[in-house]
Amino acid sequence: LTWEKSEQYNIGLDMDMFDYRFKMKLDYYYKLTSSLIYSVPLPQTILLVNKRTENAMELSNEGIELELEGDIFRNSAVSWRMKLNISRNWNRFEKSYNKKDPDGMVIGRPIYGMYVYAFEGFYHSEDEVPVYYDIFGNKKYFGGIASVSPMSGLVGTYKLKDLNGDNFIGDGDMYYAGSPQPKAHGGWVNEIRWKCFDLNLLFNFELGRKMINAREYSLGTGPKFADIRNLSYWKNPGDNATLPRIGTKAQVMLDANIEKVHSISLKQITLGCDLPKP
């Protein structure tokens, strides 16, 4: 067992223009971390210990960073300096201990990916529920249910795509829907001075982050922070609802709940005054 190892490469460009009134820094980096420490399963034995720690994984990070700084007003009564930085990062799982995909990580994809079910609406009637026959010739509905009715079975519940074709909905039917990392993120700083006063504003922003909208759920089982009268539950065939009928389990991890979010927040505001010396 050894320390984790890393190799990093950077290339950058610095520019100062217009008598240092405008500055720009552009950087690209690539970092490969190898010999990542991981608990590797051992073959089944009579021993109580079934895992051991090894240098077993590799992970890469690469990104680009841009920083801009400009004196909007320099020699006037009001001075205004603005700084803007924007970054984009990609991470990728490169190697596992057995060349397979462990614990939800997929070789060649970002870590902490989003895995969701494919939402295809709701079952509005018995006729929409798929039927199959078991090895004994018994008729069964999708999910192993013997019969369905308007208030039982699958009517009024989610119609999810059976990706692995086993007539059940489980973890094997979830697909990779992308990374939750934003397309870009950064900060925006404004420094304004007038006479003895100075004002500093710091904003943070994110662009293009994928997020699961779970406002109406609590661990996938019920409403959360919402007035139930304003929620859209399935009640009758043809309803354009967002939640299944009351009494059935709500599901958070649906591709229909993925939203692309852009945000900007004011993180800090400072107002000061330098009083003249007596």
Side-chain angles (χ1 to χ4, degrees):
L1 190 66
T2 67
W3 293 105
E4 296 178 351
K5 303 172 184 177
S6 64
E7 300 176 32
Q8 182 164 332
Y9 307 93
N10 297 69
I11 184 171
L13 174 66
D14 289 2
M15 297 179 63
D16 296 329
M17 295 177 284
F18 310 117
D19 192 23
Y20 298 98
R21 190 161 190 160
F22 178 77
K23 301 177 182 179
M24 183 188 77
K25 293 181 180 180
L26 180 64
D27 290 291
Y28 168 81
Y29 63 87
Y30 177 83
K31 182 178 181 180
L32 177 65
T33 304
S34 59
S35 299
L36 283 168
I37 296 174
Y38 189 80
S39 294
V40 176
L42 294 174
Q44 295 294 329
T45 67
I46 61 174
L47 300 177
L48 295 178
V49 178
N50 58 6
K51 290 185 178 181
R52 73 176 179 187
T53 303
E54 294 184 8
N55 298 103
M57 306 288 201
E58 287 188 6
L59 177 69
S60 67
N61 279 276
E62 64 178 319
I64 188 169
E65 299 177 347
L66 175 64
E67 182 178 321
L68 303 174
E69 179 178 339
D71 290 331
I72 309 301
F73 301 127
R74 177 186 284 179
N75 299 318
S76 58
V78 177
S79 65
W80 177 15
R81 174 177 294 175
M82 185 175 67
K83 299 177 183 178
L84 175 70
N85 66 77
I86 185 169
S87 304
R88 172 74 190 272
N89 176 265
W90 297 265
N91 67 56
R92 187 166 54 248
F93 183 53
E94 301 287 357
K95 181 182 177 182
S96 69
Y97 62 92
N98 60 358
K99 298 182 181 180
K100 296 181 180 180
D101 303 328
D103 299 331
M105 296 180 287
V106 179
I107 296 174
R109 288 181 180 171
I111 59 174
Y112 309 119
M114 302 175 69
Y115 291 85
V116 294
Y117 296 104
F119 176 66
E120 298 183 321
F122 295 93
Y123 291 109
H124 294 287
S125 68
E126 298 180 21
D127 296 334
E128 295 183 6
V129 181
V131 175
Y132 70 97
Y133 295 86
D134 62 18
I135 59 175
F136 303 106
N138 298 317
K139 179 181 178 181
K140 289 191 175 182
Y141 289 91
F142 187 79
I145 299 174
S147 63
V148 296
S149 66
M151 292 309 294
S152 66
L154 296 177
V155 177
T157 65
Y158 296 113
K159 184 189 296 184
L160 305 180
K161 193 167 185 179
D162 181 21
L163 294 179
N164 61 8
D166 63 355
N167 294 315
F168 287 88
I169 296 299
D171 292 344
D173 299 305
M174 303 180 82
Y175 73 94
Y176 177 77
S179 170
Q181 290 192 96
K183 297 295 184 183
H185 66 278
W188 179 34
V189 179
N190 290 272
E191 301 172 353
I192 303 171
R193 295 187 63 88
W194 176 69
K195 294 184 177 180
C196 72
F197 296 99
D198 60 85
L199 175 65
N200 289 271
L201 302 170
L202 170 61
F203 295 87
N204 285 352
F205 63 87
E206 289 186 342
L207 303 175
R209 176 186 286 275
K210 285 186 175 181
M211 301 180 70
I212 297 288
N213 182 349
R215 288 189 298 266
E216 298 179 352
Y217 306 92
S218 176
L219 301 178
T221 58
K224 179 181 181 181
F225 301 134
D227 188 334
I228 192 172
R229 295 170 296 181
N230 297 327
L231 299 181
S232 177
Y233 287 97
W234 186 95
K235 295 180 180 178
N236 301 297
D239 283 352
N240 185 22
T242 58
L243 293 170
R245 59 183 169 83
I246 294 176
T248 60
K249 183 178 180 180
Q251 176 59 253
V252 178
M253 304 306 292
L254 304 177
D255 52 9
N257 290 336
I258 296 177
E259 296 182 354
K260 186 170 287 187
V261 178
H262 313 286
S263 67
I264 183 170
S265 58
L266 176 61
K267 299 296 292 185
Q268 180 177 309
I269 179 170
T270 306
L271 177 63
C273 179
D274 295 328
L275 298 177
K277 295 182 180 180

